Amino acid sequence: ALLSARRATPVHRYVTARRGGETVGYAITGVAGSTSYLKRLAVDPAARRKGVARELVQDASEWAIGRGTLAMLVNTQQGNSGAVQLYRTLGFRLDEQGLKVLQWTTDSRR
């Protein structure tokens, strides 16, 4: 599934977060045209609520902006209010039409 996620866009990047020599999270980000996608984000349960996810999302956003993208899309599970709140604090807006999709644009990050 991770390999499939990485190959879903022409350009992609896989990053891990490490704490104390241990991998505690990862993010897969992709770019297709002027849109980027935060395709996968995971943090070890023992490392949650310690800023790991925030750092991974911010890193993904900066990488995507550096490749000239104008927007980033991410989707999350219906009841994942913690993820939705995190994305909103980082400038994503919720698409109220059905599937939980959040998006930021370069304008919303200013």
Side-chain angles (χ1 to χ4, degrees):
L2 294 179
L3 185 57
S4 177
R6 290 172 78 172
R7 291 181 175 166
T9 53
V11 177
H12 64 268
R13 179 173 177 240
Y14 177 82
V15 172
T16 59
R18 297 180 61 82
R19 299 288 190 274
E22 299 284 326
T23 299
V24 295
Y26 70 88
I28 300 174
T29 311
V31 171
S34 63
T35 303
S36 58
Y37 303 87
L38 182 55
K39 299 188 279 183
R40 296 281 189 276
L41 177 70
V43 176
D44 184 294
R48 290 184 183 156
R49 309 217 39 95
K50 297 180 180 175
V52 175
R54 176 176 298 276
E55 289 174 22
L56 287 167
V57 175
Q58 287 173 323
D59 178 75
S61 297
E62 290 169 11
W63 178 81
I65 289 168
R67 267 128 201 91
T69 64
L70 303 175
M72 177 177 276
L73 300 174
V74 61
N75 67 352
T76 191
Q77 294 172 338
Q78 201 71 358
N80 195 343
S81 59
V84 170
Q85 181 60 31
L86 170 68
Y87 295 133
R88 282 186 164 167
T89 65
L90 292 171
F92 288 81
R93 291 186 317 259
L94 186 62
D95 177 359
E96 301 295 344
Q97 312 255 335
L99 180 66
K100 292 273 186 187
V101 175
L102 293 100
Q103 170 183 340
W104 63 250
T105 62
T106 51
D107 291 337
S108 68
R109 292 194 34 98
R110 291 185 184 146

